[in-house]
C-alpha cells in the first residue's frame, strides 16, 4: 500500500514539500487530526487557521523545513496564541513573544499546527493531570501515553503531526516517547534555549524533539540548538551537523549497562527487549560492559526535593495579576489565595506545598541542602562511568504503558515511573529514548541512551545504527 | 509531626479546603518518608550541586533596544485600568 502523506517522516516530508509544496501534507495531517483528536486528546489547541492567518505565504516556507507541519507542547510560547501549560490558571494567557525555538523553526520554514496536551505544568508521568482531560495512548486507548509531553508523543505516534517538540525536566520527553513507540531526545542542559519555555525546574528543564525517526531528531536538533543571549544558561558552543553522525557505524563504541537499572521491579518483557537492543549493538561492533552507578536508588528522592523546590518558586508568579485566571477577592491577599486555589490542580498544589516545605526555615538544610549534596554524588557516579564507556544504555521506563487511573491516586508510585529518566536531568547530560520492541500485548518498549555532556552525536550514532538494524519504527498503531 | 500543612499552605498562598488538606497531608507525608532514605548517605564534606554548568554570573552589554509591547501585555491581563494592572485594595483605610 502506498504511504499516506500524514505517515511521512520529517525527512520525507521535507523532500516532498521541496518538490511539490507543503500544502498537500498539511491538509492530510489536518484531516487526520480532525478524525483522531476526539479519541486521543493529543492537542489542546489545533488551529492551523491561526497560523495560516499569520500571513504564512508560500515564500515563507523555504528554509530547511519547507513548510513541514510541526506541533509543540502547550508550555512553549507562541506569539499571539494562547499558551496555558494545560492549567486553568493560565487560561486566556496569550504570550506577547515567540519562544526562541519557535522563532528558529519558523525561520526554517516550519508550519505550526497547534499545541499538544500535557500534564499540568509538566507535573506528571501520565498526562492525566491536564486541565483539558487525559490523553490516550494510540496503541491501547485504555492506557496512558506517559508524560508530561504525552500529547506531543501521541501526535507523532498517531501521525497527527510530522514531528513535535516537548520539554523534559525528569523524563517528560523520553518516558512518553518510550510508551508511545517514538523517538524522544532530551539534549544536554544548555544546548537548546529555554527562552519562552514556561519554567518548571530551572536547573533541569530542556526542550527537545519528539519524532518518528532518529534522523528526524537530528534534523530538528540542527535547527533548535545553540546559544541564545535571551537564555543565560544556554551554552556558547558550536553546533555540529547532527545528521553527519547518522553513519550506521558503532565499531569500537564502548557502551555500559548499569547493573542498578536492571533490578527487581522492572517488567521482564522490558528487560528482555532492552538487553536484546544491547546485543544488536554488540553484533554491530560495539563493546558492551556492565558498569555501576551506585547512587541510582537515591535519584527520585533528590529530584522530588530539588525539582519541587524550583517548581514552587517558579509558580510563585501565578497570582492573578498579570496573566491568566483571576478569582475575585475583597482584598489583594484573598485574591491571591482564591486565584491559586481555583487555578492549580491537585498535583501542582502537592508540588508547591512540598517545594515550599523543603525550602522553609528549619528544613532547608535537612532537605534542600541534603538533596543538592546527593545530586553531587549522582553526578560523580556518571563522571566515573564515562571514564570507562562512551554511552550508557538502560530501559527508559521500568514498565510499558500503564492503565489510565492505575497510578493517579498514588503520587509516589507515579514518581517512581521516572526512576530511569531522572538521573540524566540531575546530571545535565543528553539522553534519548527510541523504540526497541513491543510486549506480547503490542505495547511499545523504549531503550534509553545517555552520553557525556554535549555528546548528542554519540547518541545519534548508536541510535541510528540500532534503529536501522531493527526497523520497528515502521510499525504503526491501528487506529 | 514536622509537616504543618496549614502553615505551608499559608506560605504557598493556597486556601485549601478541609478535604484537600487531609489528602495532601497524607500524600506529602508519604513522599517525605520516602525522601528520608537520603539520610543513609554521609554527605558532610560533599559540595552541593545547584546547577550542572557551574556558571558564574552571566553578563551582557547594557544596550538599549527599542521594543514596545506594553499595550499587548496589558490587553491580555485579567484586570487593568489604563496602562496599569489593577488589583483589589492592598491597604485598608484606618
Amino acid at each position: 500500500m502506498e504511504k499516506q502523506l500524514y505517515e511521512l517522516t520529517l525527512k520525507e516530508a521535507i523532500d516532498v514539500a521541496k518538490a511539490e509544496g507543503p500544502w498537500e501534507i498539511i491538509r492530510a495531517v489536518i484531516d487526520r487530526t480532525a478524525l483522531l483528536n476526539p479519541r486521543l486528546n493529543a492537542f489542546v489547541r489545533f488551529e492551523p487557521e491561526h497560523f495560516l492567518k499569520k500571513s504564512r505565504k508560500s515564500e515563507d516556507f523555504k528554509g530547511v523545513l519547507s513548510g513541514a507541519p510541526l506541533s509543540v507542547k502547550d508550555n512553549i510560547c507562541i506569539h499571539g496564541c494562547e499558551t496555558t501549560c494545560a492549567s486553568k490558571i493560565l487560561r486566556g494567557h496569550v504570550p506577547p513573544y515567540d519562544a526562541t525555538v519557535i522563532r528558529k523553526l519558523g525561520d526554517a520554514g516550519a508550519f505550526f499546527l497547534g499545541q499538544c496536551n500535557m500534564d499540568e505544568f509538566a507535573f506528571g508521568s501520565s498526562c492525566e493531570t491536564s486541565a483539558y482531560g487525559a490523553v490516550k495512548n494510540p496503541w491501547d486507548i485504555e492506557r496512558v501515553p506517559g508524560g508530561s509531553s504525552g500529547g506531543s508523543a501521541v501526535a507523532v505516534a498517531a501521525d497527527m503531526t510530522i514531528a513535535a517538540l516537548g520539554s523534559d525536566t525528569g523524563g517528560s520527553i523520553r518516558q512518553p516517547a518510550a510508551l508511545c513507540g517514538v523517538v524522544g531526545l532530551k539534549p544536554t542542559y544548555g544546548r537548546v534555549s529555554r527562552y519562552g519555555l514556561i519554567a518548571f525546574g530551572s536547573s533541569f528543564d530542556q526542550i527537545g524533539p519528539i519524532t518518528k525517526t532518529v534522523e528526524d531528531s537530528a534534523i530538528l536538533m540542527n535547527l533548535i540548538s545553540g546559544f541564545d543571549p535571551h537564555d543565560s544558561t544556554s551554552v556558547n558552543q558550536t553546533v555540529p551537523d547532527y545528521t553527519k553522525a547518522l553513519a550506521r557505524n558503532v565499531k569500537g563504541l564502548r557502551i555500559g549497562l548499569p547493573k542498578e537499572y536492571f533490578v527487581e521491579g522492572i517488567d521482564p518483557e522490558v528487560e528482555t527487549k532492552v538487553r536484546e537492543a544491547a546485543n544488536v549493538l554488540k553484533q554491530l561492533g560495539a563493546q558492551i560492559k556492565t558498569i555501576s552507578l551506585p547512587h541510582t536508588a537515591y535519584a527520585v528522592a533528590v529530584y522530588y526535593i530539588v525539582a519541587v523546590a524550583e517548581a514552587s518558586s517558579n509558580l510563585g508568579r501565578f497570582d492573578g495579576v498579570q496573566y491568566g485566571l483571576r478569582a475575585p477577592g475583597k482584598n489583594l491577599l484573598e485574591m491571591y489565595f482564591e486565584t491559586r486555589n481555583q487555578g492549580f490542580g491537585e498535583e501542582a498544589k502537592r508540588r508547591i506545598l512540598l517545594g515550599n516545605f523543603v525550602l522553609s526555615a528549619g528544613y532547608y538544610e535537612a532537605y534542600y541542602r541534603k538533596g543538592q549534596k546527593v545530586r553531587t554524588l549522582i553526578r560523580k557516579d556518571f563522571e566515573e562511568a564515562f571514564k570507562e564507556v562512551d554511552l550508557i544504555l538502560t530501559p527508559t521506563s521500568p514498565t510499558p504503558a500503564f492503565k489510565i487511573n492505575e497510578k493517579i491516586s498514588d503520587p509516589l508510585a507515579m514518581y517512581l515511573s521516572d526512576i530511569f529518566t531522572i538521573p540524566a536531568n540531575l546530571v545535565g547530560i543528553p539522553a534519548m529514548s527510541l523504540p526497541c520492541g513491543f510486549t506480547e500485548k503490542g505495547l511499545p518498549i523504549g531503550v534509553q541512551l545517555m552520553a557525556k555532556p554535549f555528546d548528542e552525536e554519540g547518541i545519534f550514532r548508536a541510535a541510528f545504527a540500532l534503529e536501522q538494524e531493527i526497523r520497528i519504527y515502521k510499525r504503526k498503531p491501528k487506529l | 509531626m514536622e509537616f504543618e500543612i496549614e502553615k505551608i499552605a499559608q506560605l504557598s498562598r493556597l486556601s485549601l479546603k478541609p478535604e484537600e488538606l487531609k489528602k495532601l497531608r497524607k500524600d506529602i507525608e508519604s513522599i517525605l518518608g520516602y525522601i528520608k532514605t537520603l539520610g543513609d548517605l554521609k554527605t558532610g564534606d560533599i559540595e552541593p550541586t545547584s546547577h550542572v554548568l557551574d556558571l558564574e554570573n552571566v553578563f551582557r552589554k547594557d544596550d538599549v533596544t527599542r521594543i514596545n509591547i506594553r499595550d499587548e501585555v496589558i490587553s491580555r491581563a485579567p484586570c487593568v485600568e489604563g496602562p496599569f494592572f489593577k488589583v483589589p485594595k492592598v491597604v485598608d483605610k484606618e
Side-chain angles (χ1 to χ4, degrees):
Chain A
M1 202 174 75
E2 202 187 321
K3 207 169 190 179
Q4 300 290 328
L5 285 172
Y6 52 73
E7 292 181 315
L8 298 178
T9 66
L10 179 59
K11 176 67 170 62
E12 293 163 345
I14 291 168
D15 291 344
V16 171
K18 277 204 199 312
E20 300 163 23
W23 300 108
E24 292 287 314
I25 305 171
I26 292 171
R27 181 51 57 199
V29 173
I30 290 173
D31 291 347
R32 171 91 173 160
T33 301
L35 182 74
L36 292 180
N37 203 48
R39 258 195 284 164
L40 299 174
N41 204 21
F43 284 90
V44 294
R45 261 162 257 104
F46 189 75
E47 320 181 303
E49 298 77 18
H50 173 90
F51 299 102
L52 288 171
K53 266 190 289 187
K54 281 178 94 177
S55 77
R56 289 284 193 202
K57 297 177 287 290
S58 289
E59 57 262 34
D60 292 334
F61 290 142
K62 290 190 177 138
V64 174
L65 295 171
S66 303
L70 305 182
S71 308
V72 299
K73 188 175 180 179
D74 189 31
N75 60 354
I76 298 174
C77 291
I78 300 181
H79 187 185
C81 196
E82 188 184 14
T83 304
T84 66
C85 288
S87 178
K88 261 201 316 207
I89 209 162
L90 275 172
R91 282 265 162 97
H93 168 54
V94 179
Y97 68 102
D98 276 332
T100 296
V101 290
I102 296 295
R103 181 180 55 73
K104 284 183 161 185
L105 291 176
D107 289 349
F111 180 90
F112 293 107
L113 292 165
Q115 292 147 298
C116 295
N117 209 342
M118 56 185 281
D119 281 295
E120 183 184 7
F121 282 105
F123 299 156
S125 315
S126 66
C127 273
E128 292 168 284
T129 70
S130 166
Y132 296 89
V135 185
K136 313 288 169 59
N137 191 313
W139 296 92
D140 176 353
I141 60 164
E142 289 179 2
R143 290 176 190 269
V144 304
S148 66
S149 312
S152 300
V154 170
V156 173
D159 293 318
M160 297 156 79
T161 184
I162 298 297
L165 292 183
S167 68
D168 192 313
T169 307
S172 281
I173 287 174
R174 290 160 287 154
Q175 186 254 14
L179 271 45
C180 293
V182 293
V183 178
L185 175 70
K186 180 200 92 72
T188 307
Y189 185 79
R191 179 78 291 185
V192 176
S193 167
R194 288 105 46 90
Y195 180 67
L197 172 70
I198 299 176
F200 158 8
S202 300
S203 80
F204 305 92
D205 299 339
Q206 266 291 289
I207 296 172
I210 297 182
T211 53
K212 298 178 186 179
T213 65
V214 174
E215 181 180 33
D216 290 357
S217 185
I219 292 170
L220 286 182
M221 278 300 289
N222 278 357
L223 298 173
I224 63 174
S225 301
F227 175 70
D228 175 13
H230 288 116
D231 175 2
S232 60
T233 63
S234 70
V235 172
N236 204 345
Q237 193 165 316
T238 317
V239 179
D241 179 353
Y242 291 112
T243 60
K244 293 228 166 87
L246 309 172
R248 258 189 114 166
N249 174 11
V250 292
K251 282 216 170 59
L253 206 62
R254 299 168 304 164
I255 301 177
L257 270 59
K259 62 175 199 276
E260 294 81 3
Y261 285 63
F262 295 89
V263 289
E264 220 182 292
I266 165 174
D267 183 284
E269 285 186 284
V270 170
E271 174 161 8
T272 305
K273 291 292 173 194
V274 170
R275 287 195 186 278
E276 276 174 28
N279 267 331
V280 169
L281 288 165
K282 190 178 174 184
Q283 277 153 21
L284 293 173
Q287 297 172 33
I288 306 288
K289 54 157 73 179
T290 302
I291 57 165
S292 175
L293 296 165
H295 296 94
T296 299
Y298 300 99
V300 175
V302 171
Y303 182 78
Y304 279 94
I305 294 172
V306 181
V308 296
E310 294 180 9
S312 65
S313 306
N314 275 324
L315 268 52
R317 62 172 65 95
F318 302 111
D319 58 5
V321 175
Q322 295 172 66
Y323 22 58
L325 179 79
R326 173 181 300 189
K330 54 181 187 300
N331 56 45
L332 184 65
L333 212 54
E334 195 181 291
M335 186 277 280
Y336 290 156
F337 275 86
E338 270 312 304
T339 298
R340 289 168 65 83
N341 207 47
Q342 291 178 25
F344 290 127
E346 186 180 291
E347 183 58 28
K349 288 176 187 171
R350 196 154 32 234
R351 296 200 192 194
I352 290 168
L353 292 166
L354 188 56
N356 283 329
F357 173 70
V358 300
L359 290 171
S360 64
Y363 300 103
Y364 179 87
E365 284 291 329
Y367 289 98
Y368 186 65
R369 204 69 167 169
K370 181 85 184 179
Q372 287 186 313
K373 287 181 168 190
V374 181
R375 189 176 183 183
T376 305
L377 294 176
I378 293 170
R379 196 178 172 185
K380 287 190 169 149
D381 282 356
F382 278 88
E383 284 169 5
E384 283 304 310
F386 282 125
K387 286 178 188 165
E388 286 182 67
V389 295
D390 304 304
L391 294 175
I392 296 174
L393 183 150
T394 75
T396 308
S397 161
T399 66
F402 44 91
K403 287 261 173 74
I404 292 170
N405 287 326
E406 188 179 325
K407 295 188 182 182
I408 195 71
S409 57
D410 184 354
L412 192 54
M414 186 73 87
Y415 296 173
L416 289 168
S417 61
D418 291 332
I419 190 158
F420 299 147
T421 48
I422 280 173
N425 300 84
L426 293 175
V427 184
I429 55 176
M432 174 187 276
S433 177
L434 74 152
C436 67
F438 289 84
T439 65
E440 270 188 19
K441 282 185 185 154
L443 298 173
I445 297 171
V447 59
Q448 174 174 240
L449 292 165
M450 297 185 265
K452 283 183 245 202
F454 297 98
D455 187 25
E456 281 82 357
E457 288 165 292
I459 292 178
F460 279 124
R461 195 176 146 198
F464 185 70
L466 183 60
E467 175 194 65
Q468 294 302 307
E469 195 63 23
I470 57 183
R471 302 194 80 80
I472 54 167
Y473 63 91
K474 295 186 183 287
R475 184 160 158 187
K476 299 272 184 186
K478 290 187 183 67
L479 286 160
Chain B
M1 183 60 215
E2 59 179 22
F3 181 64
E4 297 169 66
I5 192 165
E6 291 85 354
K7 183 181 150 212
I8 299 294
Q10 185 74 20
L11 290 171
S12 305
R13 300 287 185 259
L14 288 169
S15 56
L16 301 173
K17 295 181 188 71
E19 64 273 17
E20 278 184 300
L21 272 176
K22 201 171 152 218
K23 166 92 170 65
L24 290 167
R25 179 193 285 124
K26 187 174 139 278
D27 291 345
I28 291 172
E29 283 175 359
S30 137
I31 297 161
L32 289 171
Y34 177 77
I35 286 172
K36 283 217 165 73
T37 55
L38 295 184
D40 305 346
L41 295 170
K42 288 209 172 65
T43 51
D45 53 353
I46 306 287
E47 282 292 310
T49 295
S50 59
H51 208 272
V52 288
L53 294 173
D54 297 322
L55 286 173
E56 301 283 319
N57 284 335
V58 176
F59 296 104
R60 59 167 173 77
K61 280 198 183 137
D62 191 19
D63 292 334
V64 177
T65 48
R66 291 198 177 276
I67 51 164
N68 185 0
I69 55 170
R70 187 190 71 185
D71 293 346
E72 200 176 345
V73 170
I74 288 289
S75 73
R76 300 293 187 171
C79 187
V80 294
E81 192 170 303
F84 303 105
F85 298 116
K86 193 177 178 186
V87 295
K89 197 159 58 173
V90 181
V91 183
D92 279 321
K93 279 195 188 123
E94 302 269 320

